[in-house]
Amino acid sequence: MYPHPNLYNIVIMKGIEIKRILSENGVSVAHIARLLGLSQQNLSAALQKDDIRTGLLEDIAGAIGKDVPFFYGVGTSAGSALASGDNSTAVAGNNNRVNTERFVNLLAKKDEQIDRLLSIIESLSNK
């Protein structure tokens, strides 16, 4: 099914996990809401979901000066980086073997889904 037993946890970020990580780092939901120009109630409601929008996660990460991988335990040390583009991947930092494998597996899964969608679109356009 999934290439790595923890892959599901990497793909899906639950609001409760975001709140836990923020709390462990001394950041309150109220503070994030103020930084994002949202009401605490609206942000709290958004964080009640089991699958948080990537855009919201990016906004929260940016508000606290972190990258999204921070929430997954990737790139939390100074100098760590994770990037992809034009069929290339670059990872810097320590202990990245498993994280790199996860990232490569996610990219492969994405490519499979794109191919599947293109096939569906092509079959629909031929009708």
Side-chain angles (χ1 to χ4, degrees):
M1 185 163 154
Y2 285 103
H4 191 280
N6 292 326
L7 183 60
Y8 184 77
N9 293 331
I10 290 173
V11 175
I12 304 297
M13 177 55 69
K14 295 182 177 188
I16 195 166
E17 283 297 304
I18 294 172
K19 289 193 286 189
R20 180 188 59 78
I21 294 165
L22 290 172
S23 177
E24 287 174 358
N25 286 275
V27 181
S28 71
V29 172
H31 179 68
I32 294 293
R34 280 191 302 276
L35 291 173
L36 297 177
L38 302 171
S39 71
Q40 181 178 350
Q41 294 80 6
N42 285 347
L43 182 57
S44 291
L47 293 175
Q48 294 300 316
K49 298 181 180 174
D50 283 338
D51 186 6
I52 300 302
R53 286 185 314 103
T54 303
L56 177 59
L57 189 56
E58 289 170 346
D59 290 346
I60 293 170
I64 60 172
K66 302 286 184 183
D67 293 323
V68 171
F70 164 79
F71 289 98
Y72 298 102
V74 178
T76 55
S77 63
S80 293
L82 181 63
S84 174
D86 297 330
N87 295 324
S88 63
T89 303
V91 178
N94 298 322
N95 301 318
N96 287 317
R97 185 174 189 278
V98 173
N99 293 330
T100 302
E101 290 172 12
R102 291 177 187 168
F103 185 68
V104 169
N105 288 332
L106 285 171
L107 288 174
K109 188 79 168 167
K110 173 202 61 120
D111 290 341
E112 290 171 16
Q113 291 174 343
I114 289 172
D115 290 342
R116 202 171 317 130
L117 287 170
L118 289 172
S119 175
I120 291 169
I121 290 169
E122 183 178 329
S123 69
L124 290 173
S125 65
N126 290 332
K127 289 186 177 185

